[in-house]
Amino acid sequence: MLGLQYFSFNDLWSPLILAFFLLIAAAYLVVVGPLSERIKDAEPATVAQKNMFIIGLAVFYLAQAGPFNLLGHVMFSFHMVSMALSYLVAPPLLMKGLPAWVWRKMLRWLPTRQLSFLAHPIVAALLFNGLFSLYHLPVVHDFVMLNFTVHRLYYLVLFITSMLMWWTLLNPLPERRQASGLSKIGFIFLNMVLLTPACGLIIFASEPLYATYSNPGVWAEAMRYCVSGDSSALLRTFGGPAFFNFLSSAKEDQQVGGIVMKFIQEGIFVSMLAYVFFQWYRKEKREDDDDPYPVESSGGPLNPAK
């Protein structure tokens, strides 16, 4: 079972963090459910919204505190799965799960006028993809993995910038300026291009890049933040991360991780591309149907029947 049987329940599921996520889920269901009837300009969330938010919360928990988090510390390929779940899968689900009135109330507490430039499509795309790519430079990645406070802060910033990036595609506030269908398509291609160099560096590297997954001593030090007890016991028991790697080598694990990340990103954005194109087509068709003066093939307006 990928070596999970060697770890305790606490190591796999982080009960305190699980309890925190369950409290968030319970608070959400109360606020967007019964409590919404007592809030001005609020309305209950739909079943679809509730499902998306709860699924998004579960995905984020599994990636950041559940089994995928632990697996991401022993194999680089699972680390990339965790990153994809955290920043490409969970954010859009959480965004779509929050009703518009919740977003309006949250944004009132933020200096949106001063920070609105961060949500500009190009800025948001450069911020998220730039920070993601920077994180996967070997020296930066190993430093972040070995420093708990830096690790949490970096992941928080990545999550915020991923939300800003998704805002262009999923803006939940109809009264705010919405990007056009063509702009969204261009934005999707921009994101697909920006992440390619980092994935290429990982996939085509001639040797293992990250000491966290190839150096037993560094690996054991990084494991201190996701297992209980003395992490040096892991070295005595297993010898290093190679014990858990079911692939032939750390290099192959690294290559698979880069491919998995790019594959997941491409799959998600191609799906979004199809969704945006379909929405754009429906909007254009609806506007054509509402036109009281349709155009003949000859170019002149049709005369209304008398």
Side-chain angles (χ1 to χ4, degrees), residues 33-135:
L35 192 60
S36 64
E37 298 175 1
R38 304 181 184 180
I39 301 175
K40 183 181 179 182
D41 299 325
E43 56 184 27
T46 65
V47 173
Q49 286 176 319
K50 292 177 182 178
N51 288 338
M52 283 189 285
F53 187 87
I54 297 301
I55 293 173
L57 204 61
V59 167
F60 192 71
Y61 160 74
L62 289 172
Q64 290 295 320
F68 279 105
N69 176 55
L70 178 60
L71 287 169
H73 279 74
V74 298
M75 288 185 66
F76 183 79
S77 50
F78 280 100
H79 162 76
M80 294 304 264
V81 171
S82 176
M83 297 293 284
L85 293 176
S86 298
Y87 307 117
L88 297 179
V89 178
L93 290 170
L94 294 171
M95 288 184 70
K96 294 293 285 183
L98 287 174
W101 66 267
V102 176
W103 281 108
R104 294 187 187 103
K105 292 190 178 297
M106 288 195 302
L107 291 176
R108 287 175 189 170
W109 293 92
L110 297 174
T112 52
R113 184 170 298 178
Q114 294 82 354
L115 299 177
S116 59
F117 73 96
L118 294 175
H120 186 280
I122 295 179
V123 174
L126 290 174
L127 274 175
F128 172 70
N129 290 284
L131 286 170
F132 187 92
S133 299
L134 177 66
Y135 174 61

Side-chain angles (χ1 to χ4, degrees), residues 7-262:
F7 297 95
S8 68
F9 178 85
N10 287 348
D11 296 336
L12 285 173
W13 298 100
S14 306
L16 288 177
I17 300 178
L18 174 59
F20 177 68
F21 272 78
L22 290 174
L23 284 175
I24 293 176
Y28 165 82
L29 292 173
V30 170
V31 170
V32 302
L35 192 60
S36 64
E37 298 175 1
R38 304 181 184 180
I39 301 175
K40 183 181 179 182
D41 299 325
E43 56 184 27
T46 65
V47 173
Q49 286 176 319
K50 292 177 182 178
N51 288 338
M52 283 189 285
F53 187 87
I54 297 301
I55 293 173
L57 204 61
V59 167
F60 192 71
Y61 160 74
L62 289 172
Q64 290 295 320
F68 279 105
N69 176 55
L70 178 60
L71 287 169
H73 279 74
V74 298
M75 288 185 66
F76 183 79
S77 50
F78 280 100
H79 162 76
M80 294 304 264
V81 171
S82 176
M83 297 293 284
L85 293 176
S86 298
Y87 307 117
L88 297 179
V89 178
L93 290 170
L94 294 171
M95 288 184 70
K96 294 293 285 183
L98 287 174
W101 66 267
V102 176
W103 281 108
R104 294 187 187 103
K105 292 190 178 297
M106 288 195 302
L107 291 176
R108 287 175 189 170
W109 293 92
L110 297 174
T112 52
R113 184 170 298 178
Q114 294 82 354
L115 299 177
S116 59
F117 73 96
L118 294 175
H120 186 280
I122 295 179
V123 174
L126 290 174
L127 274 175
F128 172 70
N129 290 284
L131 286 170
F132 187 92
S133 299
L134 177 66
Y135 174 61
H136 286 96
L137 292 176
V139 63
V140 176
H141 179 273
D142 288 335
F143 176 79
V144 172
M145 291 291 282
L146 295 174
N147 293 273
F148 183 76
T149 302
V150 176
H151 183 274
R152 290 305 182 197
L153 287 174
Y154 204 107
Y155 275 37
L156 175 62
V157 173
L158 270 178
F159 182 76
I160 293 172
T161 55
S162 72
M163 295 288 278
L164 290 170
M165 182 267 291
W166 279 106
W167 186 273
T168 296
L169 298 173
L170 303 174
N171 188 341
L173 300 178
E175 70 273 13
R176 298 217 169 197
R177 183 179 177 182
Q178 303 280 334
S180 67
L182 187 59
S183 297
K184 289 181 179 180
I185 291 173
F187 181 74
I188 290 171
F189 278 112
L190 175 64
N191 278 279
M192 293 168 73
V193 169
L194 287 175
L195 201 61
T196 299
C199 291
L201 169 70
I202 294 167
I203 295 169
F204 298 109
S206 59
E207 59 184 5
L209 298 174
Y210 306 104
T212 310
Y213 300 99
S214 58
N215 184 311
V218 177
W219 170 75
E221 187 177 351
M223 288 292 285
R224 288 186 301 135
Y225 302 121
C226 62
V227 298
S228 54
D230 183 10
S231 63
S232 62
L234 294 172
L235 283 179
R236 295 192 297 271
T237 306
F238 306 114
F243 178 87
F244 301 95
N245 190 350
F246 56 83
L247 298 173
S248 62
S249 65
K251 177 184 173 183
E252 184 176 323
D253 176 39
Q254 181 177 285
Q255 292 172 330
V256 170
I259 293 169
V260 165
M261 183 66 202
K262 191 59 181 172

